[in-house]
């Protein structure tokens, strides 16, 4: 008897970050007051026709390219017909026959092992109305109707929950990095349906679909409990039914929603109101150009530059900072330390974005260069940070000013000697072993140098001077 | 006369979400069968190209700019809605989910 | 009562310009005639008080001298959305539906200061060939009130034939402008697919539907077409065309024109009295320097089958929005969602519509979509290519518009296939997206009109009006 193998395929719906809806020219924004971002097309009033959002198509294309898909250059839509009150036209406009992208992949890494997860297809479609329910009535809000969506359908290539979670993390990263979607699972702008099957052979077992799971870690737990459930069923001699289930977070188990009707009859046919739209090669190239360097490529650049892996992940997690580092040609280790350290602290404190400050990329490059050449030290950097961030003063001038206020080692020696001899009490205390004394003396020296001196140097000189006493 | 079965009529009526009274079933059994026999002729037509003509449109499709938007007040739309409750459209309770 | 309405549009315009009459005179005459002929049942909804008010306001303005349609009354088929004027599609489903927006054609009509008199009767949701499927009762043929008007634009046709208004808009999915025009002896044009915006036209079959003018003569038809065409960003199937004057070739001769008559159009499906009229037209054409050839065309005899599949398939989807949720009728038996759907659609739709939706749903379900729908679209493509081939050699394709003259109103409605067969000669035009025009070419012994069908290549409407006007003069 062999072991059971789990196979997982995932369908992900993501809302596109557009200003207006996909096939309606009303605002793409829901969650506020009901039925305000609507017009007659949302309500499918008799005689209305769809109009297609060009930017939505572009985002769909961008996602397909970023997921390594083959592009269907002739963009066409189909109608998926079914009756439900949240579907005003009685059909959803989608891409059933010729999705914008097919045969793509995402590369994941789990426990050091790399693996490609196939993307069966990615297609563009529209969301439905939001409904709320009371005892005998339901209430419809049309604001969400027509919100642009892409559905990304994976191949059943994942073999466990870790791979599935890595796949989702990677997908999310890519869609965030390409500005296609917010990917906020908790707000519903990214939704996952998970298909799980188990089998002892290479032939796939009967799969179940677990719908609308609220977070990536829940997806992991749902896969684990669902595959265990299926194994138990099979072990008890039962068969698995093709059915839709939901994941109960609290009970940590999946619960049957409904057995699948034999072949849902959606009566698909080509949408006659939207003639084919041709994606020109030049346009596809333009969109390719717009795709920024994706996370994995960035990781590789950082790794080769010698940045520690903990900092690499910090950079990837902070796209704004990572973007700021793009095309940076200086010392990436110093640069990333500055950005993740003092600069991030400053940005967090002030609530600013790096783009809102006066620290242009050019200025930043000069700064890193000066640090790299040891023209300035960290201490000076800390002291000129605010000036760098909040003024348009030339960086060379800032550094010059700082330096002119600073002391050579010889000058410092003289100063240290003077401070020590004018504070005999502190010398006594130092000799009596009181640490406070050295701190006090350091403070006095730093005060005189207006903080421009390297504290390590001052400390050494002070120790030497005290030793002579 | 050739007819659809009663079950076939009810299945098609359900697909179309149209209630069929018992008294009408017989009529539909005959009429639908006549129409379906008509369209069945299509199976015998030989056509060389498999290219589908979805719409006779031949011009280039021009899409809408994302920033072009317009809204209509719900108060206007509401006039034709059979049942509303506040700012919502009201329907019998939806089951399913 | 005056008889200004019997004057031609340029003559009426002259009277406006010279302050001999005002729009109010004309509008009052319209309503007078409509009331006198109320038994024709041309209108579902009249726009009387608003039309009179607007006419009065217009009368206080300066006449637009370069706008021949200024102040001219027009009737609009009741499947075209008119803001604040009830638009029913001749269905119980929309009995109380008052649109909140104007169709793009209606905006254009208004911007040219035409006066909307009312909404004309039709087959329910334009499904039918006699206008008898109307929830509001059938309109009558003004030539003989015991006869059908044809359909689905029967109300608009009767309105023109009965001289109630000089202009009307109809819609044509499978002959619904041309066939009633033929039965009532008027001029009706279905323009090239995409010429006229469909925004606001309540869809029956999206890839076939087109709005077009219905008028007393060719020239006025071209005048009205001038004002309703154009690319509309609200309708992706509408096309950008250079602005043109469709009357510009009217009055030119037809010497050297090459005309094809498909043998199928003169086969034994067409009654003899009609073939005879067509023969007479052929004589006129030949004696005036046109070449006429009888040709074979593939697929023409399959058009009805294609139409049934494509039109019913699309209709089953287009009419899904009538579900009792957002507008229109909702059954009082609506305790659950499923009951609401089934009862609303059972009570709200008439039997022709229900039958077509059911068949359409079936044709798209499961594997059928491939077996029927895809196959139909493949043949449709072949049919279009067949037309393209003919138009490489010929300027026009001619034939009769209908196989018989208008038949009796009380003829049975029982055969569900009859309504499709009435359109057998005009459907191919919709399949290929071509323009098609009906002009009267005579009458039979009972004085029932017989129509000539002129088919042009895409965007060739101006040339069609040229030959149509030429024949109109010769046939007087």
């Amino acid at each position: 008897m062999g072991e059971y193998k789990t196979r997982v395929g995932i369908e992900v719906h993501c809302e596109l970050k557009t200003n207006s809806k996909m096939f309606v020219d009303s605002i793409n924004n829901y969650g506020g007051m009901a039925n305000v971002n609507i017009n007659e097309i949302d309500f499918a009033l008799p005689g209305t026709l769809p109009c297609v959002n060009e930017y939505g198509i572009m985002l769909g294309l961008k996602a397909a390219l970023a997921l390594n898909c083959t592009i269907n250059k002739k963009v066409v839509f189909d109608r998926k017909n079914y009756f439900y009150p949240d579907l005003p036209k009685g059909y959803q406009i989608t891409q059933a026959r010729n999705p914008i992208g097919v045969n793509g992949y995402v590369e994941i890494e789990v426990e050091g092992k790399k693996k490609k997860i196939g993307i069966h297809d990615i297609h563009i479609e529209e969301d439905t109305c939001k409904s709320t329910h009371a005892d005998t009535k339901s209430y419809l809000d049309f604001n969400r109707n027509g919100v642009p969506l892409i559905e990304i359908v994976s191949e059943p290539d994942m073999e466990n929950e870790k791979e599935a979670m890595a796949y989702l993390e990677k997908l999310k990263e890519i869609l965030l990095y390409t500005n296609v979607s917010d990917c906020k699972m908790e707000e519903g702008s990214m939704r996952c349906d998970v298909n799980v099957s188990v089998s002892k052979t290479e032939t796939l077992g009967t799969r179940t679909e677990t719908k609308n799971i609220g977070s990536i870690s829940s997806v992991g737990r749902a896969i684990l409990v669902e595959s265990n459930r299926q194994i138990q069923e099979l072990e008890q001699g039962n068969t698995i039914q093709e059915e839709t289930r939901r994941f109960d977070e609290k009970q940590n188990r999946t619960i049957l929603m409904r057995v699948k009707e034999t072949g849902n009859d959606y009566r698909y046919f080509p949408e006659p109101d939207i003639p084919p739209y041709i994606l020109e090669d030049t346009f596809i190239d333009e969109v390719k150009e717009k795709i920024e360097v994706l996370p994995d490529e960035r990781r590789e650049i950082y790794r080769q530059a010698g940045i520690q892996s903990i900092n690499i992940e910090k950079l990837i997690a902070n796209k704004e900072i990572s973007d700021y580092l793009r095309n940076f040609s200086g010392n990436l280790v110093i640069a990333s330390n500055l950005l993740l350290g003092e600069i991030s602290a400053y940005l967090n404190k002030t609530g600013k974005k790096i783009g809102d400050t006066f620290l242009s990329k050019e200025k930043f490059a000069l700064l890193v260069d000066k640090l790299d050449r040891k023209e300035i030290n960290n201490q000076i950097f800390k002291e000129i940070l605010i000036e760098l961030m909040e003024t348009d003063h030339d960086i060379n001038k800032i550094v010059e000013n700082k330096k002119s206020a600073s002391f050579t080692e010889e000058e410092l020696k003289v100063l240290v000697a003077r401070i020590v001899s004018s504070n005999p009490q502190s010398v006594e205390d130092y000799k009596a072993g009181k640490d406070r004394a050295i701190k006090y003396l350091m403070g006095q020296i730093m005060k005189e140098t207006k903080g421009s001196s390297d504290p390590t140097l001052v400390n050494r000189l002070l120790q030497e001077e005290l030793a002579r006493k | 006369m050739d007819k659809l079965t009663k079950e076939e009529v009810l299945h098609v009526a359900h697909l179309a979400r149209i209630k069929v009274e018992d008294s009408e079933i017989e009529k539909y059994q005959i009429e639908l069968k006549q129409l379906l026999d008509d369209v069945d002729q299509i199976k015998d037509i030989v056509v060389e190209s498999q290219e589908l003509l979805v719409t006779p449109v031949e011009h280039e499709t021009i899409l809408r700019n994302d920033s072009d938007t317009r809204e209509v007040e719900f108060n206007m739309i509401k006039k034709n809605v059979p049942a509303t409750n506040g700012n919502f459209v009201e329907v019998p309770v939806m089951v399913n989910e | 009562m005056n008889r200004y309405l019997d004057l031609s549009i340029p003559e009426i315009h002259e009277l406006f310009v010279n302050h001999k009459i005002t729009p109010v005179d004309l509008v009052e005459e319209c309503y007078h005639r409509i009331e006198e002929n109320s038994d024709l049942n041309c209108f579902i909804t009249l726009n009387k008080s608003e039309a009179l008010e607007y006419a009065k306001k217009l009368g206080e303005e300066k006449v637009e001298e370069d706008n021949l349609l200024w102040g001219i009354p027009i009737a609009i088929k009741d499947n075209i959305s008119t803001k604040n004027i009830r638009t029913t599609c001749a269905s119980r489903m929309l009995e109380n539906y008052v649109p909140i927006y104007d169709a793009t054609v209606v905006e254009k009509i208004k911007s040219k200061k035409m006066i909307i008199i009312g909404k004309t009767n039709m087959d329910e949701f334009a499904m039918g060939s006699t206008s008898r499927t109307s929830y509001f009762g059938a309109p009558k043929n003004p030539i003989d009130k015991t006869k059908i008007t044809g359909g689905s634009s029967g109300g608009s046709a009767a309105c023109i034939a009965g001289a109630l208004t000089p202009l009307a808009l109809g819609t044509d999915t499978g002959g619904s402008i041309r066939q009633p025009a033929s039965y009532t002896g008027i001029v009706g044009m279905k323009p090239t697919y995409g010429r006229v915006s469909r925004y606001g036209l309540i869809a029956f079959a999206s890839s076939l539907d087109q709005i077009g003018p219905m008028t007393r003569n060719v020239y006025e038809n071209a005048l009205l077409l001038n004002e309703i065409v154009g690319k509309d960003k609200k309708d992706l199937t509408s096309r950008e065309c250079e602005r043109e004057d469709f009357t510009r070739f009217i009055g030119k001769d037809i010497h050297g024109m090459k005309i094809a008559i498909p043998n199928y159009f003169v086969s034994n499906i067409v009654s003899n009295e009609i073939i005879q009229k067509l023969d007479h037209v052929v004589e006129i054409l030949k004696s005036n320097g046109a070449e006429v050839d009888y040709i074979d065309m593939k697929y023409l005899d399959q058009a009805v089958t294609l139409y049934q599949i494509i039109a019913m398939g699309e209709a089953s989807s287009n009419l899904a929005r009538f579900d009792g949720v957002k507008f229109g009728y909702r059954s009082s038996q609506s305790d659950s969602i499923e009951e609401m759907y089934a009862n609303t659609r059972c009570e709200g739709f008439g039997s022709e519509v229900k039958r077509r939706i059911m068949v359409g749903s079936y044709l798209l379900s499961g594997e059928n979509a491939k077996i029927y729908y895809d196959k139909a679209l493949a043949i449709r493509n072949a049919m279009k290519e067949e037309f393209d081939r003919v138009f490489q050699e010929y300027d026009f394709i001619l034939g009769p518009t209908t196989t018989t003259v208008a038949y009796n109103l009380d003829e049975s409605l029982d055969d569900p296939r009859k309504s499709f067969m009435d359109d057998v000669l005009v459907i191919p035009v919709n399949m290929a997206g071509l323009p098609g025009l009906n002009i009267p070419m005579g009458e039979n012994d009972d004085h029932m009109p017989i129509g000539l069908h002129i088919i042009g290549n895409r965007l060739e409407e101006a040339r069609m009006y040229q030959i149509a006007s030429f024949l109109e003069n010769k046939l007087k």
Side-chain angles (χ1 to χ4, degrees):
Chain A
M1 285 284 271
E3 289 286 301
Y4 282 99
K5 269 194 203 157
T6 301
R7 296 291 286 271
V8 181
I10 303 184
E11 288 160 23
V12 176
H13 281 93
C14 284
E15 284 175 2
L16 299 178
K17 264 167 77 176
T18 59
N19 173 54
S20 59
K21 295 176 181 176
M22 194 62 226
F23 305 107
V24 187
D25 52 348
S26 57
I27 293 274
N28 169 10
N29 183 21
Y30 66 92
M33 177 141 107
N35 289 315
V36 289
N37 295 319
I38 51 162
N39 64 35
E40 75 271 9
I41 309 177
D42 282 299
F43 271 70
L45 292 193
T48 55
L49 296 170
C51 50
V52 182
N53 185 343
E54 184 173 27
Y55 188 65
I57 300 275
M58 195 282 281
L59 288 182
L61 171 64
K62 203 173 179 188
L65 288 168
L67 299 178
N68 308 299
C69 288
T70 307
I71 304 301
N72 269 319
K73 290 181 191 171
K74 189 171 161 184
V75 178
V76 289
F77 293 92
D78 299 285
R79 291 187 184 179
K80 177 181 180 177
N81 294 283
Y82 65 95
F83 286 89
Y84 209 53
D86 66 5
L87 188 69
K89 297 187 294 299
Y91 55 86
Q92 180 195 35
I93 304 177
T94 180
Q95 295 186 296
R97 298 182 182 210
N98 293 292
I100 190 160
V102 292
N103 294 331
Y105 68 86
V106 162
E107 193 174 61
I108 59 166
E109 188 175 331
V110 174
E111 288 156 1
K113 264 178 67 188
K114 287 190 175 167
K115 178 173 178 177
K116 277 183 183 171
I117 305 298
I119 303 287
H120 179 272
D121 78 79
I122 159 168
H123 56 262
I124 300 171
E125 57 187 33
E126 55 179 341
D127 212 341
T128 56
C129 298
K130 208 162 170 54
S131 50
T132 43
H133 314 287
D135 279 352
T136 60
K137 303 284 180 198
S138 291
Y139 303 97
L140 298 167
D141 171 9
F142 287 61
N143 289 341
R144 199 182 67 183
N145 174 66
V147 165
L149 296 178
I150 46 171
E151 182 175 351
I152 301 161
V153 183
S154 86
E155 299 288 356
D157 286 350
M158 290 152 276
E159 290 172 59
N160 54 50
E161 74 286 357
K162 283 180 190 147
E163 290 184 1
M165 287 161 72
Y167 167 74
L168 288 174
E169 290 289 359
K170 188 54 73 68
L171 207 57
K172 192 171 158 181
E173 225 171 60
I174 292 170
L175 296 174
L176 277 173
Y177 265 74
T178 45
N179 267 320
V180 167
S181 175
D182 279 338
C183 294
K184 290 183 180 156
M185 279 184 87
E186 63 284 1
E187 288 172 26
S189 70
M190 180 175 175
R191 294 163 232 164
C192 299
D193 302 333
V194 181
N195 294 309
V196 177
S197 67
V198 300
S199 172
K200 282 187 174 179
T201 65
E202 284 307 306
T203 320
L204 292 184
T206 305
R207 64 179 202 193
T208 63
E209 182 179 29
T210 305
K211 276 194 139 4
N212 275 325
I213 312 176
S215 69
I216 292 180
S217 58
S218 302
V219 167
R221 277 181 286 135
I223 290 169
L224 204 57
V225 297
E226 176 58 16
S227 57
N228 285 338
R229 183 193 71 83
Q230 291 187 12
I231 292 169
Q232 254 180 23
E233 290 286 340
L234 292 172
E235 284 297 296
Q236 287 167 13
N238 301 324
T239 53
I240 302 300
Q241 291 233 54
E242 215 172 302
E243 59 195 20
T244 305
R245 306 181 69 85
R246 70 179 172 82
F247 180 57
D248 188 307
E249 300 266 355
K250 282 195 192 118
Q251 301 183 45
N252 197 36
R253 65 190 190 97
T254 66
I255 294 165
L256 175 66
M257 284 168 73
R258 57 178 177 266
V259 176
K260 280 230 161 132
E261 297 166 43
T262 43
N264 253 336
D265 202 339
Y266 289 125
R267 289 169 284 132
Y268 288 104
F269 74 102
E271 163 61 286
D273 285 329
I274 306 177
Y277 177 70
I278 307 299
L279 297 170
E280 303 290 344
D281 287 334
T282 49
F283 179 70
I284 296 176
D285 288 343
E286 264 172 49
V287 175
K288 261 186 203 157
E289 284 292 304
K290 272 189 219 156
I291 295 181
E292 304 172 51
V293 182
L294 294 175
D296 275 356
E297 228 173 303
R298 296 189 191 206
R299 283 192 176 94
E300 189 55 26
I301 293 168
Y302 298 152
R303 198 184 58 76
Q304 287 189 4
I307 302 177
Q308 288 177 311
S309 59
I310 182 160
N311 276 358
I312 291 178
E313 290 312 313
K314 277 187 192 165
L315 286 169
I316 296 294
N318 190 336
K319 177 161 185 290
E320 188 198 335
I321 296 290
S322 179
D323 282 348
Y324 188 78
L325 272 180
R326 282 188 63 193
N327 303 323
F328 180 82
S329 55
N331 186 323
L332 267 174
V333 176
I334 295 176
S336 60
N337 284 338
L338 293 185
L339 287 170
L340 293 172
E342 296 296 324
I343 294 178
S344 282
Y346 170 84
L347 295 175
N348 285 340
K349 205 169 75 188
T350 55
K352 286 182 189 170
K353 296 196 170 207
I354 196 154
D356 304 335
T357 70
F358 281 94
L359 189 65
S360 65
K361 287 193 182 184
E362 294 74 29
K363 208 161 153 185
F364 179 70
L366 283 171
L367 172 68
V368 173
D369 191 49
K370 285 184 191 301
L371 282 160
D372 199 16
R373 292 160 182 271
K374 301 201 165 53
E375 279 177 30
I376 56 171
N377 55 39
N378 242 345
Q379 184 60 33
I380 293 186
F381 159 66
K382 282 181 194 165
E383 282 157 16
I384 62 175
L385 176 68
I386 292 196
E387 200 176 351
L388 286 170
M389 296 303 237
E390 296 180 1
T391 72
D392 59 354
H393 298 163
D394 182 81
I395 180 164
N396 289 317
K397 287 250 171 66
I398 299 175
V399 171
E400 280 312 307
N401 288 342
K402 204 52 162 177
K403 279 201 163 167
S404 68
S406 70
F407 294 71
T408 64
E409 192 170 334
E410 281 312 304
E411 285 169 334
L412 271 180
K413 270 188 187 163
V414 176
L415 177 70
V416 169
R418 180 162 60 77
I419 298 279
V420 168
S421 51
S422 56
N423 288 285
Q425 183 57 49
S426 296
V427 178
E428 287 306 311
D429 290 350
Y430 170 74
K431 287 187 171 159
K434 290 182 184 165
D435 277 352
R436 201 166 37 82
I438 200 157
K439 274 188 191 148
Y440 173 76
L441 290 169
M442 275 289 287
Q444 293 299 306
I445 298 161
M446 295 310 279
K447 203 167 155 191
E448 290 259 340
T449 64
K450 297 193 180 70
S452 68
S453 313
D454 180 352
T456 335
L457 177 63
V458 173
N459 194 6
R460 180 167 61 78
L461 294 174
L462 183 59
Q463 299 277 4
E464 287 168 6
E465 182 63 25
L466 287 169
R468 276 193 283 278
K469 289 289 162 177
Chain B
M1 188 181 253
D2 252 8
K3 320 194 263 193
L4 294 187
T5 65
K6 190 179 162 186
E7 289 67 37
E8 285 171 320
V9 169
L10 291 176
H11 171 69
V12 172
H14 178 69
L15 272 182
R17 296 298 191 280
I18 294 172
K19 184 180 176 188
V20 173
E21 304 288 353
D22 288 344
S23 59
E24 298 173 307
I25 290 183
E26 169 97 26
K27 181 176 75 110
Y28 281 116
Q29 282 178 287
I30 297 165
E31 289 176 355
L32 298 185
K33 177 68 178 159
Q34 285 175 330
L35 286 170
L36 292 175
D37 282 348
D38 263 12
V39 300
D40 246 10
Q41 293 173 28
I42 197 144
K43 293 175 179 164
D44 304 327
I45 306 173
V46 180
V47 60
E48 280 165 27
S49 164
Q50 286 309 306
E51 183 154 349
L52 309 185
L53 183 75
V54 173
T55 160
V57 163
E58 292 181 323
H59 59 267
E60 193 187 335
T61 306
I62 298 163
L63 306 184
R64 173 176 58 82
N65 195 304
D66 189 30
S67 56
D68 296 346
T69 58
R70 60 195 178 86
E71 272 74 44
V72 171
E73 277 193 25
F74 184 60
N75 274 340
M76 290 282 288
I77 286 176
K78 206 173 164 175
K79 294 178 199 160
N80 282 302
V81 180
T84 57
N85 190 325
N87 243 36
F88 291 91
V89 172
E90 188 183 279
V91 291
V93 72
M94 293 154 67
V95 274
N96 222 345
E97 301 295 304
Chain C
M1 198 78 197
N2 295 312
R3 312 250 349 139
Y4 298 123
L5 277 179
D6 295 334
L7 300 174
S8 73
I9 285 178
E11 286 167 338
I12 294 171
H13 185 69
E14 192 68 23
L15 293 177
F16 280 149
V17 171
N18 296 325
H19 304 290
K20 295 282 198 312
I21 61 168
T22 66
V24 172
D25 296 326
L26 217 51
V27 170
E28 280 180 344
E29 197 184 328
C30 274
Y31 286 112
H32 180 71
R33 289 190 183 193
I34 290 167
E35 279 148 30
E36 273 191 334
N37 293 282
S38 61
D39 61 331
L40 290 178
N41 199 18
C42 289
F43 287 88
I44 292 173
T45 305
L46 291 174
N47 189 37
K48 191 170 176 181
S49 59
E50 290 77 7
L52 280 166
E53 197 179 313
Y54 179 60
K56 187 159 169 274
K57 184 175 146 278
L58 215 51
E60 289 156 7
E61 291 173 13
K62 198 172 156 357
V63 182
E64 292 174 4
E65 293 194 21
D66 57 352
N67 176 9
L68 281 175
L69 299 178
W70 186 92
I72 304 291
I74 186 167
I76 312 263
K77 190 176 176 182
D78 207 24
N79 58 349
I80 298 174
S81 185
T82 44
K83 188 173 178 175
N84 299 331
I85 308 175
R86 181 173 75 136
T87 299
T88 69
C89 261
S91 179
R92 183 184 186 197
M93 188 63 91
L94 293 178
E95 193 177 359
N96 299 308
Y97 171 68
V98 180
I100 59 166
Y101 78 100
D102 274 329
T104 300
V105 279
V106 173
E107 283 178 355
K108 287 175 181 274
I109 295 286
K110 285 183 174 172
S111 78
K112 294 310 275 192
K113 314 278 172 71
M114 283 172 255
I115 301 171
I116 297 172
I117 295 300
K119 305 299 292 292
T120 57
N121 205 349
M122 54 184 278
D123 280 302
E124 184 182 6
F125 283 100
M127 296 180 185
S129 64
T130 65
S131 300
R132 289 184 297 174
T133 69
S134 170
Y135 177 64
F136 302 93
K140 290 177 182 162
N141 194 322
I143 312 297
D144 176 346
K145 290 179 186 172
T146 66
K147 306 286 185 192
I148 57 163
T149 57
S152 64
S153 310
S156 288
C159 176
I160 300 299
L164 307 185
T165 64
L167 301 173
L169 286 184
T171 68
D172 190 317
T173 306
S176 284
I177 286 174
R178 293 158 290 154
Q179 181 254 49
S182 173
Y183 284 167
T184 57
I186 64 158
V187 177
M189 168 70 101
K190 183 208 90 78
T192 307
Y193 185 82
R195 267 284 194 200
V196 182
S197 168
R198 292 185 297 116
Y199 197 79
L201 161 60
I202 301 175
F204 161 16
S206 314
S207 75
L208 303 165
D209 294 342
Q210 190 65 190
I211 299 171
M214 300 176 81
T215 57
R216 307 172 292 188
N217 58 54
V218 172
Y219 175 73
E220 292 177 1
N221 203 280
L223 276 185
L224 181 52
L225 186 63
N226 274 345
E227 305 309 337
I228 61 173
V229 297
K231 171 81 189 163
D232 177 11
K233 63 181 188 355
K234 291 176 175 171
D235 174 7
L236 287 166
T237 64
S238 67
R239 65 194 290 169
E240 190 80 62
C241 298
E242 253 175 69
R243 170 106 192 135
E244 62 178 300
D245 176 5
F246 292 106
T247 67
R248 69 189 187 281
F249 299 127
I250 289 178
K252 294 193 163 43
D253 74 15
I254 59 162
H255 190 87
M257 281 185 173
K258 290 192 72 181
I259 289 149
I261 298 178
N263 288 316
Y264 182 68
F265 285 177
V266 289
S267 64
N268 60 8
I269 58 169
V270 183
S271 68
N272 268 332
E273 58 189 12
I274 291 178
I275 301 275
Q276 280 166 22
K277 293 292 168 201
L278 185 68
D279 288 344
H280 178 55
V281 166
V282 170
E283 276 167 39
I284 295 174
L285 290 169
K286 283 182 174 168
S287 62
N288 284 280
E291 250 180 72
V292 181
D293 291 333
Y294 288 83
I295 62 162
D296 280 326
M297 273 185 82
K298 282 192 281 186
Y299 304 115
L300 287 182
D301 55 336
Q302 301 299 339
V304 169
T305 310
L306 296 195
Y307 179 75
Q308 286 174 325
I309 294 169
I310 294 168
M312 287 193 276
E314 289 184 16
S316 71
S317 172
N318 283 332
L319 272 66
R321 67 187 59 192
F322 301 98
D323 58 2
V325 174
K326 300 139 304 212
F327 45 76
Y329 182 75
R330 181 191 286 189
S331 171
S332 56
Q333 308 289 309
S334 293
D335 289 341
S336 72
I337 291 289
E338 287 298 329
E339 271 181 294
M340 176 185 70
Y341 286 148
N343 291 322
T344 295
R345 292 164 65 80
C346 171
E347 295 157 22
F349 290 136
S351 56
E352 180 75 29
V353 172
K354 285 194 266 196
R355 202 157 56 208
R356 293 198 189 190
I357 293 175
M358 283 193 232
V359 173
S361 304
Y362 174 78
L363 292 175
L364 291 174
S365 70
E367 283 302 298
N368 289 351
K370 273 208 162 49
I371 300 168
Y372 296 104
Y373 199 77
D374 285 5
K375 181 79 181 275
L377 294 183
I379 301 166
R380 182 179 186 183
N381 188 58
M383 181 183 278
K384 176 187 162 286
E385 285 174 355
E386 183 73 351
F387 272 108
D388 290 346
R389 184 183 64 79
V390 174
F391 279 120
Q392 282 183 0
E393 221 179 311
Y394 295 94
D395 299 305
F396 303 105
I397 297 170
L398 257 54
T401 307
T402 53
T403 55
T404 66
V405 296
Y407 48 88
N408 286 334
L409 265 170
D410 57 11
E411 203 160 296
S412 162
L413 258 173
D414 282 352
D415 183 350
R417 292 170 296 192
K418 170 74 177 134
S419 67
F420 295 104
M421 291 315 291
D422 287 340
D423 292 328
V424 62
L425 301 174
V426 278
I427 284 172
V429 164
N430 301 77
M431 287 295 150
L434 299 169
L437 174 65
N438 175 77
I439 61 166
M441 60 171 170
E443 54 189 40
N444 72 358
D445 295 343
D446 300 326
H447 307 292
M448 291 313 294
I450 292 171
L452 172 70
H453 190 208
I454 303 170
I455 305 170
N457 203 350
R458 271 175 289 283
L459 304 180
E460 288 291 330
E461 287 90 343
R463 290 286 175 194
M464 291 161 71
Y465 285 129
Q466 177 186 355
I467 186 173
S469 170
F470 183 86
L471 288 170
E472 186 179 48
N473 276 319
K474 293 287 173 191
L475 289 164
K476 257 180 195 159

